[in-house]
Amino acid sequence: MPKSKKRGSNHQRGAGGQHRNVQPFSDEDASIETMSHCSGFSDPASFTEEGPEVDEEATQEDFEYKLKGFIDLTLDKSAKTRQAALEGLKNALTSKILYEFILERRMTLTDSIERCIKKGKSDEQSAAARLACLLCVQLGSGIESEEILKTLGPVLKKIICDGTASIQARQACATCLGVCCFIVTDDITELYSTMECLENIFTKWYQRESDTNGISSTHNTVLHISALLAWTLLLTICPVSEVKKKLEMHLHKLPNLLSCDDVNMRIAAGETLALLFELARETEADFFYEDMELLTQKLRALATDGNKHRAKVDKRKQRSVFRDVLRAVEERDFPTETVKFGPERMYIDCWVKKHTYDTFKEILGSGMQYHLQSNEFLRNVFELGPPVMLDAATLKTMKIPRFERHLYNSAAFKARTKARSKCRDKRTDVGEFF
């Protein structure tokens, strides 16, 4: 006879099966509630969702009320709650221009970020560092951002140089330090000090050569990549005399990084080399590189890499990047890219501009297009002029209805599926042989 599936009542299980105290509102509950609020800021579209017209002033007040709640929660005892609050603030700052709101509370926010970086653990430190980046992006290159960097700069450098700190936290702090210093460009001493701090990280790879297997990858690779990219960003705003010094110091050593086992490090080193060659040719019309033949051989090998022990995705990505890098080094050529945002478009026509755009895109994510339209600091960086002011009627005519967007996306999805199905046919899949 089969056993009955009926079990004891909930009351009996709670009393005898599991011995735990039930609290009316625990730290975990608070963090869950906070994260549910934070998820509302995960998509910029959530702020401009189609629907009936609402009172904009009331909506703005409600939005700022939530932000004030997040700021208060950055001081919570629960680490999960603090991290969720930091993420909520970060998502909000990527999706809206909040200059006035931040300006009034910048000291409170800076203190909260400093406390989270000093006392928090890996994820919380990373979230705090990313939020610090966004504060400076919102405030621009004024005295307010300078005050933030003066407060957080020593803390960020300490974490970057601390070998006992988590790699994730050190990586985020390296990016944050580079971006904040890029925004606050007035203090040349701070600029050189920051570059030296970052150099001390990625130059450790110059000596890490092995016999025939290239540079062996370690768990520190992501940190070295972030330090190299942040250093390269700062090099683009250095005086010509300093650029020449850095070129003499690094141009003959950077090719060593092309032998790294990590594809992302190889790509970062390749793009940095292309940018350095671009700067060298701008500073000296008759620039000559002694080891050009050896370098082009390395770049050509990476641009046509077909090693079977490497993943196909990595090989495709690497070949695409190094074809452009090889053309930049050999022919001084750059493949122009076009970025569209709203009614405007921006042309990326050099490696300096590309590296700057990629850096801020990594920070702002899906909010990059919105900030290119509305953020005065970013528009100054990319020489886009003052923001284009459009009235509500013009914006409404430009906006595609949701149903039409759905139809367009469905058609594009079907076309893309058919094209990919053809490419998957073994008789036509010959891309790996080229």
Side-chain angles (χ1 to χ4, degrees):
M1 182 176 178
K3 294 181 180 180
S4 173
K5 296 182 180 179
K6 186 175 180 181
R7 298 182 179 179
S9 65
N10 291 336
H11 175 74
Q12 291 172 339
R13 273 203 315 274
Q18 298 179 2
H19 299 280
R20 65 184 182 94
N21 295 325
V22 180
Q23 297 178 357
F25 191 75
S26 64
D27 286 343
E28 184 177 358
D29 296 329
S31 64
I32 293 172
E33 182 180 356
T34 305
M35 284 185 279
S36 68
H37 285 300
C38 296
S39 63
F41 298 111
S42 60
D43 184 9
S46 63
F47 296 105
T48 57
E49 194 68 32
E50 293 180 359
E53 293 185 4
V54 294
D55 185 356
E56 292 185 4
E57 186 176 350
T59 304
Q60 183 65 19
E61 288 180 0
D62 182 56
F63 176 74
E64 291 186 0
Y65 177 77
K66 287 182 179 180
L67 291 184
K68 291 174 185 176
F70 288 150
I71 293 173
D72 293 339
L73 287 172
T74 58
L75 305 176
D76 196 86
K77 292 182 179 180
S78 168
K80 287 185 179 180
T81 303
R82 292 195 304 270
Q83 184 182 338
L86 292 169
E87 291 291 342
L89 288 168
K90 180 182 75 70
N91 291 330
L93 295 186
T94 58
S95 307
K96 270 198 170 186
I97 300 296
L98 300 166
Y99 179 83
E100 297 295 336
F101 180 86
I102 295 172
L103 191 64
E104 296 175 1
R105 299 165 179 82
R106 67 184 186 280
M107 298 307 297
T108 304
L109 283 166
T110 304
D111 290 342
S112 296
I113 291 170
E114 183 182 12
R115 189 179 294 105
C116 291
I117 293 176
K118 281 183 176 180
K119 299 183 179 181
K121 293 187 178 180
S122 177
D123 291 337
E124 184 180 346
Q125 289 173 317
S126 301
R130 289 192 291 268
L131 180 59
C133 279
L134 291 168
L135 281 185
C136 290
V137 170
Q138 290 264 354
L139 294 172
S141 55
I143 192 172
E144 295 84 5
S145 294
E146 189 176 344
E147 291 173 354
I148 292 174
L149 183 61
K150 283 182 179 178
T151 303
L152 298 180
V155 182
L156 294 171
K157 289 178 182 177
K158 184 178 179 181
I159 296 293
I160 293 169
C161 300
D162 184 3
T164 61
S166 76
I167 295 298
Q168 183 183 0
R170 296 174 70 191
Q171 176 191 6
C173 289
T175 300
C176 175
L177 182 63
V179 171
C180 292
C181 190
F182 177 85
I183 295 171
V184 185
T185 56
D186 291 339
D187 190 351
I188 199 73
T189 306
E190 180 63 27
L191 174 64
Y192 293 163
S193 171
T194 300
M195 292 185 72
E196 184 180 357
C197 174
L198 297 170
E199 278 177 337
N200 292 335
I201 299 298
F202 72 83
T203 51
K204 293 176 182 178
W205 280 87
Y206 288 165
Q207 293 81 27
R208 294 180 65 86
E209 291 185 74
S210 57
D211 306 323
T212 56
N213 298 326
I215 300 174
S216 59
S217 60
T218 68
H219 64 289
N220 291 332
T221 305
V222 290
L223 169 63
H224 296 150
I225 293 172
S226 296
L228 175 61
L229 295 177
W231 176 87
T232 307
L233 178 69
L234 295 180
L235 184 65
T236 63
I237 59 171
C238 282
V240 175
S241 58
E242 187 67 18
V243 170
K244 289 181 178 179
K245 290 179 184 177
K246 297 300 182 184
L247 288 172
E248 292 176 3
M249 188 185 304
H250 296 281
L251 198 54
H252 293 278
K253 297 178 181 179
L254 266 172
N256 293 339
L257 302 184
L258 298 176
S259 302
C260 179
D261 291 340
D262 189 280
V263 64
N264 294 315
M265 174 58 91
R266 294 196 299 272
I267 289 173
E271 292 183 336
T272 300
L273 277 170
L275 189 145
L276 291 182
F277 269 85
E278 184 176 270
L279 292 176
R281 286 161 177 164
E282 287 178 0
T283 55
E284 297 181 27
D286 56 346
F287 170 76
F288 176 75
Y289 184 67
E290 296 176 358
D291 301 325
M292 178 65 81
E293 186 176 350
L294 180 60
L295 176 60
T296 53
Q297 286 177 2
K298 282 186 177 181
L299 295 177
R300 192 172 287 107
L302 291 168
T304 57
D305 188 8
N307 289 337
K308 292 184 178 180
H309 69 277
R310 285 178 181 160
K312 288 184 178 180
V313 176
D314 290 348
K315 284 188 288 187
R316 290 194 188 102
K317 184 180 178 182
Q318 174 184 289
R319 288 197 295 254
S320 175
V321 171
F322 277 96
R323 281 195 294 266
D324 295 338
V325 172
L326 182 62
R327 283 191 308 192
V329 172
E330 280 189 324
E331 306 170 16
R332 307 188 181 198
D333 186 31
F334 179 84
T336 304
E337 302 175 15
T338 304
V339 178
K340 296 180 181 179
F341 47 97
E344 302 175 85
R345 62 181 60 192
M346 176 178 71
Y347 297 100
I348 299 177
D349 53 4
C350 64
W351 285 97
V352 170
K353 201 169 186 179
K354 180 183 185 303
H355 185 70
T356 308
Y357 175 79
D358 289 345
T359 300
F360 283 100
K361 186 179 179 182
E362 183 71 22
I363 295 167
L364 293 168
S366 59
M368 182 65 178
Q369 290 190 347
Y370 175 79
H371 278 264
L372 283 175
Q373 286 181 276
S374 309
N375 189 307
E376 292 186 7
F377 165 72
L378 275 188
R379 293 184 69 87
N380 288 334
V381 168
F382 294 108
E383 300 177 344
L384 297 172
V388 178
M389 303 302 294
L390 298 173
D391 56 18
T394 307
L395 288 172
K396 192 172 183 179
T397 57
M398 291 171 57
K399 193 170 185 180
I400 303 173
R402 182 182 297 179
F403 181 67
E404 290 185 17
R405 289 202 306 269
H406 173 70
L407 293 178
Y408 173 80
N409 290 334
S410 298
F413 175 75
K414 289 179 181 177
R416 188 165 57 246
T417 303
K418 288 181 180 179
R420 287 177 177 173
S421 297
K422 291 179 181 178
C423 290
R424 290 191 183 104
D425 190 341
K426 292 181 179 179
R427 290 171 295 180
T428 60
D429 188 14
V430 295
E432 284 299 309
F433 295 93
F434 293 91

